[in-house]
Amino acid sequence: MEAAQAEREVAVQVAALNTQERKAQSRTASIATAIPTAVLPATEEPPHRRRKRLKDEARAAEEAATDTPLPLDASAQLSEAASAAPARSLRRTLNTYLSLSKPRLAFLIVLTSTAAYSIYPVPALLSTSATAAPSLSTLTLAFLTTGTFLTVASANTLNMLFEPSHDAKMSRTRNRPLVRGLISKRSALLFAIATGALGTATLWYGVNPTTSLLGASNIVLYSFIYTGLKRLHPINTWVGAIVGAIPPLMGWCAAASQYSITVPSPTASTLQNLWAESQELLFTEQAVGGWLLAALLFAWQFPHFFALSHAIRHEYAAAGYKMLTSTNIPMAARVSFRYSLLMFPICILLTTEGLTDPVFVVASTGINAWMVKEAWGFWRKNGEQGSARGLFWASVWHLPGVLVLAMVFKKGLVGRVWRGVVGEDGDEEWEDDDGGSVRV
């Protein structure tokens, strides 16, 4: 009996001890929970890692605030408008086909060709007597703009036709008409063939065969060579720059042909006459101005495109495109800065070659310096901290700014306008068809 009672007392004591231990653990846990985290011991972050972390956080916050996404291209916007329109409606059809032409890009290209046409140094473009001075043909200009737009539309349509599966992988292009199924590939191909044939024919018969040949060559360069190289090598950007440099030559040849001294020979073949015409329009001293404008467009495209593609460089890489901004950003930034610097000598040569008045050099220096400044920031910051976006918008305003200034300060234009306004008599002579001179 005594042994059994002793065992019960031991069991009661053990149970009491266990209860007390559990209560003590509970109190300890509650106290630990009540203590703020800040006073609990923790491993101290090394100073150099803390500085790096804070620097990375500040940079990420700044990029999030400045590098907002660039707007969708015009084709994507028109595709959205077409998809919202009723099926088989005229508005849906027009928006769909217009989106195939990439109208914003096409407008820019037409602008460069018409600017070169306007800058061509026609004697006494404006004088006190508007009918007494020779001028460029308005009808030829209409054929030039129409034919250029049609050839550009053909090239852009073929470009979309070859890349719908890749366009679907990028945010800026996934809404294009072929990606969204707004038009069949067969209809897009027929549209490309029709616009290409009509555009080259318009340039051939309304302007001259050399300009038509340049337009046709651009279709081939852009649609088949540039488009194919995009997935092979970053050199595709240089090929694309050649494509952009050709339209100013088209405008220049359209203007120069109106003062051509080459007469087609009835005994020569079409190819021989074309070669003779092309030699005069493209490879003589009078063609220097056209090549300078082509050089301006060639150089401008590098800072513009590299700044544009920087924001979506990861999408280019994911889609399989070999863009320089996706593979080597420092090199892309250096190339952008170097070609931006070329704007200064090109603008100076436009004056020394007699295309613009000296004031053009002064007027263009400001806008050239702006783009060089942004290109320098793009290079030094490796495209970060909003530098790519700053260069993009500088390039967007730079090209039309320089072209408009060149047209405004065309050689002798301001002086002739002034004489026309104040009524001063001109004192210039022009040779007539009989070899005599006419004073105006």
Side-chain angles (χ1 to χ4, degrees):
M1 293 292 292
E2 293 179 358
Q5 185 176 359
E7 288 179 0
R8 285 195 297 273
E9 290 178 357
V10 171
V12 170
Q13 291 175 358
V14 171
L17 288 174
N18 290 338
T19 303
Q20 291 176 0
E21 185 178 355
R22 285 195 297 269
K23 290 181 178 180
Q25 291 176 351
S26 177
R27 285 195 300 270
T28 303
S30 62
I31 293 172
T33 305
I35 296 176
T37 305
V39 302
L40 291 177
T43 303
E44 185 178 356
E45 184 179 18
H48 67 282
R49 291 186 179 179
R50 181 176 179 273
R51 288 193 298 269
K52 184 178 183 300
R53 176 177 57 79
L54 294 175
K55 190 175 182 179
D56 291 342
E57 290 175 357
R59 180 183 301 167
E62 186 175 357
E63 289 183 358
T66 56
D67 284 344
T68 54
L70 293 172
L72 295 175
D73 63 2
S75 294
Q77 294 174 353
L78 285 170
S79 294
E80 290 184 352
S83 62
R88 299 183 180 179
S89 64
L90 179 61
R91 186 175 64 177
R92 184 187 182 99
T93 302
L94 290 178
N95 283 335
T96 299
Y97 280 103
L98 186 59
S99 66
L100 288 173
S101 68
K102 298 183 183 178
R104 191 177 297 164
L105 175 61
F107 173 78
L108 179 63
I109 294 174
V110 171
L111 171 65
T112 61
S113 63
T114 55
Y117 185 87
S118 302
I119 295 170
Y120 183 82
V122 177
L125 179 61
L126 292 179
S127 68
T128 54
S129 177
T131 58
S135 62
L136 294 171
S137 168
T138 304
L139 183 60
T140 301
L141 177 61
F143 280 119
L144 173 67
T145 54
T146 303
T148 301
F149 182 85
L150 289 172
T151 54
V152 172
S154 176
N156 288 335
T157 302
L158 289 172
N159 172 262
M160 290 191 198
L161 192 61
F162 296 149
E163 298 182 328
S165 60
H166 307 302
D167 285 342
K169 301 174 183 178
M170 301 181 62
S171 59
R172 294 188 73 252
T173 57
R174 64 169 58 113
N175 287 324
R176 286 179 174 176
L178 284 166
V179 178
R180 301 189 64 166
L182 297 175
I183 188 172
S184 65
K185 289 187 176 181
R186 179 177 178 275
S187 298
L189 178 61
L190 291 176
F191 178 74
I193 295 173
T195 52
L198 185 58
T200 53
T202 300
L203 294 173
W204 184 285
Y205 294 104
V207 184
N208 58 67
T210 300
T211 303
S212 177
L213 182 63
L214 289 173
S217 66
N218 242 11
I219 296 177
V220 175
L221 274 175
Y222 185 76
S223 305
F224 298 96
I225 300 179
Y226 167 73
T227 301
L229 282 174
K230 286 168 66 177
R231 296 177 56 80
L232 297 177
H233 196 277
I235 200 174
N236 65 77
T237 305
W238 277 260
V239 176
I242 295 175
V243 173
I246 289 178
L249 283 176
M250 295 170 62
W252 188 270
C253 291
S257 65
Q258 298 175 48
Y259 298 91
S260 173
I261 59 175
T262 300
V263 179
S265 173
T267 59
S269 65
T270 301
L271 186 60
Q272 289 174 327
N273 286 328
L274 176 59
W275 174 245
E277 180 191 72
S278 300
Q279 280 185 307
E280 180 190 5
L281 298 181
L282 292 174
F283 305 110
T284 60
E285 185 178 352
Q286 288 75 19
V288 172
W291 287 105
L292 285 174
L293 293 172
L296 177 72
L297 265 294
F298 181 85
W300 172 84
Q301 288 175 88
F302 292 95
H304 174 74
F305 177 74
F306 286 148
L308 169 66
S309 60
H310 180 272
I312 52 175
R313 61 191 183 280
H314 302 302
E315 294 187 17
Y316 272 119
Y321 293 125
K322 306 295 183 181
M323 298 301 174
L324 195 58
T325 49
S326 301
T327 59
N328 194 337
I329 295 178
M331 182 178 178
R334 289 196 305 272
V335 170
S336 300
F337 179 66
R338 291 169 184 171
Y339 278 105
S340 297
L341 289 174
L342 286 179
M343 298 301 171
F344 290 104
I346 292 174
C347 289
I348 293 173
L349 287 172
L350 287 174
T351 295
T352 59
E353 291 298 323
L355 273 70
T356 59
D357 287 326
V359 68
F360 168 73
V361 176
V362 179
S364 63
T365 296
I367 194 168
N368 288 337
W370 177 29
M371 191 162 78
V372 168
K373 171 182 173 294
E374 297 295 339
W376 170 262
F378 182 58
W379 179 28
R380 300 304 298 172
K381 298 177 182 178
N382 206 34
E384 298 177 351
Q385 302 178 33
S387 58
R389 187 174 182 83
L391 177 58
F392 170 75
W393 287 113
S395 66
V396 167
W397 289 103
H398 174 273
L399 183 62
V402 170
L403 293 178
V404 169
L405 287 174
M407 289 187 285
V408 170
F409 297 113
K410 179 178 176 178
K411 185 71 173 180
L413 179 60
V414 174
R416 291 186 177 91
V417 171
W418 173 255
R419 287 194 297 271
V421 171
V422 301
E424 295 180 2
D425 293 332
D427 194 24
E428 300 181 8
E429 293 185 354
W430 300 99
E431 294 185 358
D432 60 15
D433 295 336
D434 298 328
S437 61
V438 178
R439 186 174 295 274
V440 296

